[in-house]
């Protein structure tokens, strides 16, 4: 951390700052410039979140600038090489290959899920998505098939060979979801549910962590830190759109998050153009844009009959639309040095 002294700061104030730096367990290193004095406080600043505030309140201090990112395990400063998150043989995030996750918003019945699984597999997807536990704005909306839905996902996975990603809503359901799924999804609404983050951090399945709709990129990385800190290194981040003043789309897909995450973190990041836009006709252009921005995968909602879907029909691709999208994405991936 760097303490910048006010240009009018006295020698006594500088001495007091140095004494406080030492009392907090840091080493001090003062640099006297022509105009100003800056004092380096050397130590592990992430352990002591109150240190910045403590130094800022001292007389003669203009500002305190932290040097290291507050997320340690998620940061590229500490872990230089990009992480590869292995799900099963041939299915991994963070390598050259772009991972495609596709399927319905909600698992609704056997026919709907099996048909979708076969269609997305045929089109070239690697992972089947589908919610068995649904976070709905209204308590009167369809809440998901729960364990029955998990069983259907496992059945579809067995038949098609696709891996499965599905959301876990509560700490008490972590074990049962982990029994059936290959990847546990933490949804936007639970992105800062710290108890749930710790719980998925204590188990071994990879975690797809979605950004909160009002969360900053830093908050997303801090949430990842909770999972990593519990011993699970397999975290895949997801940009799924944020709330802005724009009303033309359901959310605003913040594709800045892709290169920012790659700059600041070693964790892979995927893009969700379905929730990010809310409209089927916007999914393809934003999926292409996600790949162009460098994402490591896409998660896309697909339904046999979107107009009959229990949830998120307007943003769900039909089978022909998804098939066409896969074909269109391949040259985009190739253009940026990736494979699909
Ligand atoms: C979903 O994937 O269907 C979902 C609910 O996503 P999000 O948490 O991003 O809204
Ligand atoms: Mn959905």
């Amino acid at each position: 951390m760097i303490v910048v002294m006010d240009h009018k700061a006295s020698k006594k104030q500088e001495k007091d700052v140095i004494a406080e730096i030492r009392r907090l367990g840091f080493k001090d290193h003062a640099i006297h410039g022509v105009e100003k004095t800056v004092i380096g406080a050397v130590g592990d600043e992430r352990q002591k979140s109150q240190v910045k505030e403590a130094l800022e309140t001292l007389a003669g201090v203009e500002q305190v600038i932290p040097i290291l990112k507050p997320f340690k395990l998620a940061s590229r400063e500490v872990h230089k090489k990009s992480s590869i998150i292995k799900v099963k043989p041939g299915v991994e995030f963070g390598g050259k290959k772009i991972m495609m996750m596709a399927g319905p918003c909600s698992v609704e019945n056997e026919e709907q899920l099996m048909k979708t699984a076969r269609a997305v597999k045929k089109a070239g997807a690697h992972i089947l998505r589908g919610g068995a536990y649904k976070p709905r704005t209204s308590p009167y909306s369809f809440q998901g098939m729960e364990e029955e839905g998990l069983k259907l996902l496992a059945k579809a996975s067995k038949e098609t060979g696709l891996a499965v990603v599905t959301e876990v809503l509560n700490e008490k359901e972590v074990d049962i979801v982990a029994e059936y799924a290959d990847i546990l999804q933490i949804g936007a609404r639970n992105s800062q549910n710290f108890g749930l983050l710790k719980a998925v951090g204590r188990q071994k399945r990879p975690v797809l962590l979605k950004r909160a709709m009002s969360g900053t990129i830093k908050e997303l990385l801090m949430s990842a830190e909770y999972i990593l800190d519990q011993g699970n290194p397999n975290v895949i981040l997801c940009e799924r759109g944020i709330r802005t003043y724009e009303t033309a789309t359901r959310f605003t897909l913040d594709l800045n998050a892709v290169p920012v995450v790659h700059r600041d973190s070693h964790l892979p990041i995927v893009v969700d153009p379905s929730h990010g836009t809310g409209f089927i006709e916007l999914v393809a252009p934003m999926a292409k844009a996600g790949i162009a921005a460098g994402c490591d995968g896409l998660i896309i909602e697909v339904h046999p009959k979107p107009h009959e879907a229990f949830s998120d029909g307007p943003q769900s691709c039909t089978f022909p639309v998804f098939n066409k999208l896969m074909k269109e994405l391949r040259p985009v991936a190739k253009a940026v040095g990736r494979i699909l």
Side-chain angles (χ1 to χ4, degrees), residues 107-116 145 152 155:
V107 179
E108 296 168 7
N109 56 61
E110 182 161 353
E111 192 194 347
Q112 170 242 20
L113 189 70
M114 297 309 290
K115 274 189 176 165
T116 310
M145 290 182 75
L152 291 178
K155 185 173 178 197

Side-chain angles (χ1 to χ4, degrees), residues 105 129 134-135 167 185 187-189 210 240 272 275 301 312:
C105 178
R129 65 146 287 147
K134 293 304 301 176
E167 179 163 354
Q185 176 175 324
R189 292 154 192 82
K210 289 190 142 193
R240 50 79 70 207
D272 176 348
H275 294 88
E301 289 185 337
D312 289 349

Side-chain angles (χ1 to χ4, degrees), residues 1-7 9-24 26-33 35-43 45 51-52 55-56 58-67:
M1 201 165 316
I2 302 280
V3 182
V4 181
M5 300 299 292
D6 190 278
H7 68 281
S10 66
K11 274 276 161 220
K12 157 94 173 54
Q13 286 170 338
E14 188 184 320
K15 271 175 108 176
D16 289 348
V17 169
I18 289 173
E20 182 65 6
I21 288 171
R22 290 180 187 169
R23 193 188 67 78
L24 290 163
F26 286 70
K27 285 207 174 84
D28 58 284
H29 186 82
I31 303 161
H32 296 99
E35 295 283 334
K36 280 182 182 177
T37 294
V38 297
I39 308 167
V42 186
E45 57 194 57
V51 169
K52 184 173 181 286
L55 293 172
E56 264 165 356
L58 295 180
V61 172
E62 186 182 284
Q63 59 169 327
V64 179
I65 308 163
I67 302 297

